[in-house]
Amino acid sequence: GWKTGQWLDGYTTSFSMGRQDYQIGSGMLIADGTSDGGGEYGGWYIDMRKAFIETGIARIEGKGLLLEGFRIEYRPRRGGTRAHADGGNAEYTFFETTRLGATYLVVDAQTPGVDDLQVWDGRLDWNGKGALEGFGLRGEYAHEDSKQIEADGWFAEASYQAKELCWTPTFSYRYAHFDGDDPATAKDEQFQEIAYGFDDYGTWFQGEITGNYPLANGNLDSHRLRVKLQPGARVTLNVMYYDFTLDQEQIRGDPVRSDDWGQEIDFTVDWAVTDSVAVIGVLGNLMPGDAAKQWTGGDKDWLYSMIYVSYGY
């Protein structure tokens, strides 16, 4: 890569190529370029490979403005065919509280008979100051269009950090919607996941069970309540509740007789033992709704637990 110092009174320019990380906004569209090989190499949570391949990223940044042009190649989740995307991203921060972002990209699935997918995306991130300090709002809307596909996905989130309370809790509520395919129409309305990835718990693997295993971010509506606690400088706790419904009554193409996927409760602990050693604990419980019961043929709760230890050097 190549990078300039400041020029034009405060702007920097850079250009980079090769295998590298790249993320736009919260990662709803672009964050993870390989998903640890699409699950083919036993890498989920173990290796965390997420770099995009054969990239080219040009960037101008300064005075609250960010302009990017990019070309990235990625492998979709669950071992899908490689695809590449070309596009541009613009972000502007003003009043030290508000960031607006817009992205346009064209995805070439490199699959015969499948046309390029055009994606338009807009984002807002606001954090209060003064009398509104502690409050936050953010949201994102994406529209996808091609000859075969027309779909939308979006979310809106409100949060409040109570700094005066013990463990400085942050309370948040988020609603997220990703279209499902209406079988009565010729076009495919299901939202097409591109290269979403992990930015924080629930973004964009919604639910430690639901988002990591049976479902992804298509044909899904979710309500999420979250409480984040900081009992110490090195310990962070999260408690999350999800209510999931299907936009259309089908799961991976299989019709079901209900849109009720279920409810999930997750508890996480992040402990930075030292500057090099980190320990993460996760406990999740999914209470299946009628759709999940019909799809799996069972009615028991899904239980999940994990201990993850990492050493950085």
Side-chain angles (χ1 to χ4, degrees):
W2 167 81
K3 183 176 182 179
T4 69
Q6 290 192 358
W7 61 285
L8 289 180
D9 192 24
Y11 291 89
T12 61
T13 303
S14 66
F15 179 74
S16 56
M17 298 178 66
R19 297 183 178 230
Q20 58 184 318
D21 292 345
Y22 183 57
Q23 179 169 320
I24 296 177
S26 67
M28 189 181 87
L29 291 177
I30 302 294
D32 190 340
T34 184
S35 294
D36 295 320
E40 297 175 0
Y41 307 117
W44 285 358
Y45 291 111
I46 298 173
D47 195 11
M48 292 302 290
R49 295 184 295 265
K50 65 176 185 176
F52 291 87
I53 57 178
E54 297 185 12
T55 66
I57 301 172
R59 181 179 290 118
I60 298 175
E61 188 171 11
K63 294 186 176 180
L65 178 67
L66 172 65
L67 298 175
E68 297 175 317
F70 59 86
R71 178 183 178 86
I72 54 177
E73 186 168 335
Y74 66 94
R75 176 182 294 173
R77 245 189 129 205
R78 308 187 194 283
T81 304
R82 285 185 177 181
H84 68 252
D86 303 279
N89 178 55
E91 297 180 2
Y92 184 65
T93 302
F94 53 96
F95 303 138
E96 299 181 352
T97 62
T98 307
R99 171 172 286 193
L100 294 175
T103 303
Y104 172 75
L105 63 146
V106 178
V107 180
D108 180 0
Q110 301 178 352
T111 301
V114 177
D115 289 322
D116 290 351
L117 179 68
Q118 298 185 76
V119 184
W120 293 265
D121 179 85
R123 304 177 301 281
L124 166 69
D125 197 333
W126 172 82
N127 292 292
K129 291 183 67 177
L132 296 176
E133 185 174 1
F135 288 94
L137 294 172
R138 66 175 183 166
E140 184 168 358
Y141 176 86
H143 176 72
E144 301 177 333
D145 185 68
S146 73
K147 288 184 179 179
Q148 296 90 7
I149 296 168
E150 185 171 358
D152 298 297
W154 60 274
F155 81 93
E157 181 175 352
S159 63
Y160 175 68
Q161 184 179 33
K163 295 182 178 180
E164 71 281 2
L165 297 182
C166 179
W167 294 3
T168 59
T170 299
F171 305 94
S172 63
Y173 165 76
R174 185 189 73 195
Y175 175 76
H177 167 85
F178 297 96
D179 281 353
D181 180 38
D182 182 355
T185 64
K187 276 202 168 184
D188 183 354
E189 292 89 5
Q190 176 141 331
F191 187 80
Q192 306 296 305
E193 303 90 356
I194 300 174
Y196 70 91
F198 180 86
D199 178 68
D200 193 1
Y201 289 107
T203 55
W204 272 101
F205 300 96
Q206 297 192 75
E208 292 300 302
I209 299 173
T210 297
N212 276 298
Y213 300 101
L215 302 183
N217 295 327
N219 191 34
L220 188 65
D221 293 329
S222 67
H223 299 269
R224 186 192 74 177
L225 294 171
R226 176 183 178 184
V227 181
K228 181 179 179 180
L229 303 165
Q230 197 80 42
R234 291 182 174 272
V235 179
T236 303
L237 308 178
N238 278 282
V239 180
M240 290 164 286
Y241 165 81
Y242 293 88
D243 182 26
F244 292 110
T245 56
L246 305 174
D247 183 52
Q248 299 289 330
E249 294 183 356
Q250 55 181 318
I251 301 173
R252 298 193 194 177
D254 298 328
V256 291
R257 294 184 297 272
S258 171
D259 65 357
D260 180 14
W261 171 257
Q263 299 173 323
E264 182 172 337
I265 298 176
D266 298 317
F267 176 71
T268 71
V269 180
D270 290 75
W271 177 27
V273 183
T274 69
D275 291 341
S276 299
V277 178
V279 178
I280 297 174
V282 178
L283 181 63
N285 181 44
L286 172 63
M287 297 159 280
D290 289 342
K293 291 176 183 178
Q294 181 185 347
W295 188 60
T296 63
D299 59 2
K300 293 183 178 180
D301 285 9
W302 302 8
L303 297 174
Y304 170 82
S305 62
M306 179 187 74
I307 295 292
Y308 173 81
V309 181
S310 67
Y311 175 76
Y313 56 91

